[in-house]
Amino acid sequence: GVPFNNWNLFEARFVALIALVLENDNNYMDKRGARYYLNQIFNKDALRQWSLPKLINYGYDLNTGVWNESPGYAFGVMKDFIEFVTLFDQVLNIDLVEQLPVLKKAVLVIPEYLFPNGFTVGFGDTYHSRLPLESAYKLVANAQKNNKTEQEETYTRFIKTMQKLSGTSAADSHTATGNFTSLFASAAVVLKESIEPGKVEDYVSPAFYAPNVSYFVQRSGMEPYDGLMISQAGSKGNHAHSNGIAMELYGKGTVLAPDKGIGTSYFQPDYKEYYSQFPAHNTVVVDGISSYPEMRSNHGFELKGSYPESGRKNEIPPTVTYSDIYFLEPETNADQRRLMGIVRINDTAGYYVDIFRSKRKEGGDKRHDYFYHNLGQDLVLSDTSGKPLPLLPTEKLAFADGDLFAYDYIYDKSSVSTSDDFKATFKLQIPGKPVVGMNMWMKGSTDREIFKVKTPPAKAVGRGLVADTIAKLPVPAVVVRQNGGAGAGPFVAVYEPTGLKGSCIK
C-alpha cells in the first residue's frame, strides 16, 4: 500500500487492534508492548506508513474539513480515524478528540455532499448513498464519557437531523458488533430524548466549494421533491475520474443526470476504458481525445466566481445561484469554461442554465462533443415547434473514427446535422411513482450535429437511490458535436426537471 490514503489506515488499524491485546511495555524484555506500537502509529513516520497526525494534515483540508478522496472513500477514512480516537479513549483513557479537531469538523461537513433527497453526490469512485452516522455516534460516546455537554448536544442533534432527512428510524442506540473492535466497545450509545433535531439547512450551504477534491455544489431549497441542486466535480485527489468539468443535476426527488460511477470495479476493463473517462460524464470532450490519469489525479478546476459565497448557511434562500469554473484540458491544451446556475421560478419549479465554452489554445480545433446523460426509458429530440428531428442511423462516435475507446461503449446511435435550436425530452418511470422528466433546450449554432444515443448503466445510482430495475437500464444521452471550436459559439442549454405539473417554461 501507500501512506497517503486509506491503505495507511488499514495497516495502522490492523497493528493497533493487535497492540491493544498486549500488556504494558515493561512486561516485555524488548519493551515493545501496547504503548510502543500505538506510539509508532501515532507519532512515527516511515516511507509507507505515516503517523496519524501527518496523514490527517496531508489529506484533510483544515479549513473545510473535507478529505481528499471521492465521497465514499472519504466517509470510510473518517470512520477509521474516529475509530482510532475511540479505541484510545476507551482502552487507554486518552482523549485525542481535542488534539485532532479537524475530525469533529469532518463529521459535520459531510452533509455538503447531500442532494435534497438525503443521498450523496456520485463523483469519482463512489455511489449515491445515505450518510454514514457511525462516526457521529462515536463522538456522542466520547462526549458522554468525558463530560463534554456541548459536543454531545451538537452531534446528537446532527444525528437526529440526518435521520429525519433520510426517513430512517431514529434508533436510540448504536454500538459496534461483529468484528474485533467490538471486544473493546463500551455500552451502547443512548441519545438524549431532550435534544431535538435541527434543520437540514443548519448543515448544508446554498453554495459550497472544496478545492482539495475540486468539488462545487449549488442548491436552491432542500425539499426532497422540489429542491434543485447542481453538483460539479473536477479531478483532484484520490479515486478521481478523468472528467474535465463534470456535473450532476437533481430534480423531482432523484438524481436525474448522474455521474456513471465506478463500473464493475476499478480492476475491470470497463472502468479503465469507459466509466473513468470523459464520455461517461456530463462534460465536453475535445477532438474526441480528452483524457488524463484517473484514480490519483491533479487536474482540478479553478473557481472563478460564485453566488452565494461558499459555506454561508441559514441565510434567505437565493432565487438565483451560479458558478463560473475554468479548466485547462491537458491532453489538447484547451481552455474550458463552464457557467452554471439555478433560477428559481417559484417554490415548486425552477431551471438550470449551462453555458460551456471550449477551445484549443493554439487553434486547429477539430470538434468538441458535449455529453449529457439523463436517467429514463424514453428520449425524444424535437425542433422548437415540437416536431421530432429527422434522425438517421450513424457510425460516428467511434474509436475507429479517431475518438477515445470509451466511445465504443456508446450504441443505438442516430444523428442529424442542424444549426437550429432543439429540445430533448427525457422521461423516467420509477415503479410506484409518478413519471418525472427533464426538458433540455439547447441554442443552435452553425456546424452542429446532434446525436441521440444509449450508454451503459449508471453504476452509482443503485443502493437505494432508484430501484434496481432502473439502475440496470442503459442511460439515454444527447451528444452535441460542434465541428471546429466552441469558444465564441459555446454550448448553451437550459434544463428543467418536470413532474405532474409539467413544464413552466414556454
Side-chain angles (χ1 to χ4, degrees):
V2 289
F4 49 76
N5 62 17
N6 55 332
W7 284 100
N8 194 89
L9 284 168
F10 291 162
E11 185 166 275
R13 180 174 60 183
F14 186 82
V15 173
L17 292 174
I18 295 173
L20 289 173
V21 300
L22 296 178
E23 298 180 34
N24 291 331
D25 294 355
N26 290 332
N27 290 339
Y28 301 96
M29 291 181 62
D30 61 4
K31 305 300 182 184
R32 295 187 177 188
R35 287 182 180 266
Y36 170 83
Y37 290 105
L38 294 174
N39 182 61
Q40 293 286 320
I41 292 168
F42 201 79
N43 295 314
K44 304 294 184 181
D45 294 313
L47 176 64
R48 291 185 175 273
Q49 187 65 38
W50 291 350
S51 64
L52 297 190
K54 180 176 180 179
L55 181 59
I56 281 178
N57 290 330
Y58 171 85
Y60 275 110
D61 183 324
L62 301 184
N63 293 317
T64 64
V66 172
W67 177 257
N68 70 338
E69 296 189 80
S70 62
Y73 285 86
F75 301 154
V77 167
M78 178 183 69
K79 172 181 172 293
D80 289 342
F81 270 124
I82 293 180
E83 186 173 274
F84 273 108
V85 169
T86 302
L87 287 171
F88 273 69
D89 189 23
Q90 294 179 349
V91 180
L92 302 175
N93 289 312
I94 299 173
D95 184 8
L96 297 175
V97 170
E98 304 310 318
Q99 297 180 44
L100 304 171
V102 73
L103 295 181
K104 292 199 292 185
K105 182 179 290 188
V107 173
L108 295 180
V109 80
I110 58 175
E112 297 289 11
Y113 285 126
L114 284 179
F115 285 106
N117 62 357
F119 281 84
T120 60
V121 297
F123 68 85
D125 294 342
T126 199
Y127 300 90
H128 298 290
S129 64
R130 297 290 188 186
L131 282 189
L133 297 177
E134 184 175 355
S135 295
Y137 270 103
K138 282 182 164 55
L139 289 177
V140 172
N142 172 267
Q144 292 174 346
K145 181 177 182 295
N146 296 286
N147 299 313
K148 294 187 280 189
T149 304
E150 184 178 348
Q151 179 178 312
E152 179 181 5
E153 183 172 335
T154 295
Y155 292 93
T156 299
R157 178 169 289 109
F158 171 80
I159 292 168
K160 291 184 177 182
T161 306
M162 293 304 111
Q163 289 174 330
K164 183 179 179 181
L165 173 66
S166 65
T168 56
S169 173
D172 61 358
S173 66
H174 183 87
T175 187
T177 58
N179 59 41
F180 191 55
T181 57
S182 63
L183 293 175
F184 305 104
S186 59
V189 180
V190 178
L191 303 180
K192 286 185 178 178
E193 293 185 7
S194 60
I195 300 175
E196 296 290 330
K199 300 180 298 180
V200 67
E201 289 81 6
D202 296 335
Y203 303 99
V204 300
S205 311
F208 180 79
Y209 178 43
N212 65 330
V213 286
S214 196
Y215 167 66
F216 185 84
V217 60
Q218 51 192 302
R219 300 179 174 90
S220 180
M222 282 298 289
E223 299 80 18
Y225 190 75
D226 295 319
L228 298 170
M229 178 173 143
I230 304 170
S231 168
Q232 291 177 270
S235 307
K236 195 75 178 290
N238 207 32
H239 287 281
H241 287 181
S242 175
N243 55 231
I245 309 173
M247 65 90 165
E248 296 183 299
L249 297 180
Y250 181 85
K252 304 306 177 188
T254 194
V255 187
L256 289 174
D259 251 10
K260 289 296 192 71
I262 195 173
T264 305
S265 84
Y266 58 75
F267 297 108
Q268 298 300 318
D270 65 347
Y271 171 81
K272 183 72 174 178
E273 296 168 353
Y274 177 73
Y275 281 96
S276 66
Q277 300 301 310
F278 270 66
H281 302 81
N282 299 314
T283 190
V284 170
V285 181
V286 182
D287 290 350
I289 61 173
S290 293
S291 185
Y292 47 80
E294 71 284 342
M295 190 55 70
R296 191 184 184 206
S297 185
N298 292 289
H299 294 286
F301 55 60
E302 179 184 350
L303 181 65
K304 292 290 188 180
S306 70
Y307 178 80
E309 294 179 359
S310 173
R312 299 181 66 169
K313 300 182 179 70
N314 292 315
E315 297 183 352
I316 297 173
T319 56
V320 176
T321 69
Y322 85 90
S323 63
D324 182 9
I325 286 173
Y326 170 78
F327 176 71
L328 175 63
E329 198 285 285
E331 184 72 12
T332 59
N333 195 29
D335 289 325
Q336 295 193 324
R337 193 154 185 171
R338 191 167 204 171
L339 179 76
M340 295 201 73
I342 302 172
V343 180
R344 173 64 74 171
I345 298 173
N346 52 44
D347 290 342
T348 62
Y351 58 89
Y352 304 107
V353 177
D354 184 18
I355 304 172
F356 203 131
R357 289 177 166 84
S358 183
K359 63 178 182 177
R360 297 183 72 142
K361 287 180 178 290
E362 297 87 1
D365 304 69
K366 297 177 183 177
R367 56 188 178 271
H368 294 253
D369 293 338
Y370 177 101
F371 280 83
Y372 178 72
H373 309 79
N374 198 100
L375 296 181
Q377 295 94 340
D378 189 34
L379 166 60
V380 175
L381 301 186
S382 58
D383 62 18
T384 53
S385 68
K387 182 180 178 181
L389 294 182
L391 302 168
L392 294 174
T394 180
E395 294 183 349
K396 294 181 180 179
L397 306 178
F399 178 65
D401 201 28
D403 298 326
L404 292 166
F405 191 75
Y407 279 72
D408 277 2
Y409 282 77
I410 302 168
Y411 62 103
D412 276 5
K413 300 175 290 186
S414 58
S415 73
V416 61
S417 294
T418 178
S419 60
D420 296 332
D421 302 346
F422 75 93
K423 180 182 179 183
T425 305
F426 296 86
K427 291 185 179 179
L428 171 64
Q429 176 64 70
I430 299 176
K433 296 183 179 180
V435 174
V436 296
M438 180 71 86
N439 291 327
M440 168 195 181
W441 292 268
M442 181 166 277
K443 179 179 173 59
S445 184
T446 57
D447 295 322
R448 284 258 173 101
E449 188 169 4
I450 317 301
F451 296 83
K452 174 186 175 181
V453 303
K454 289 181 180 177
T455 68
K459 297 291 188 177
V461 302
R463 305 191 177 196
L465 176 65
V466 296
D468 287 344
T469 54
I470 303 296
K472 294 176 181 178
L473 291 176
V475 178
V478 173
V479 183
V480 181
R481 171 162 286 181
Q482 177 65 56
N483 293 300
F491 301 101
V492 181
V494 168
Y495 295 93
E496 181 197 22
T498 60
L500 288 174
K501 295 182 180 179
S503 177
C504 293
I505 296 177
K506 294 181 181 179

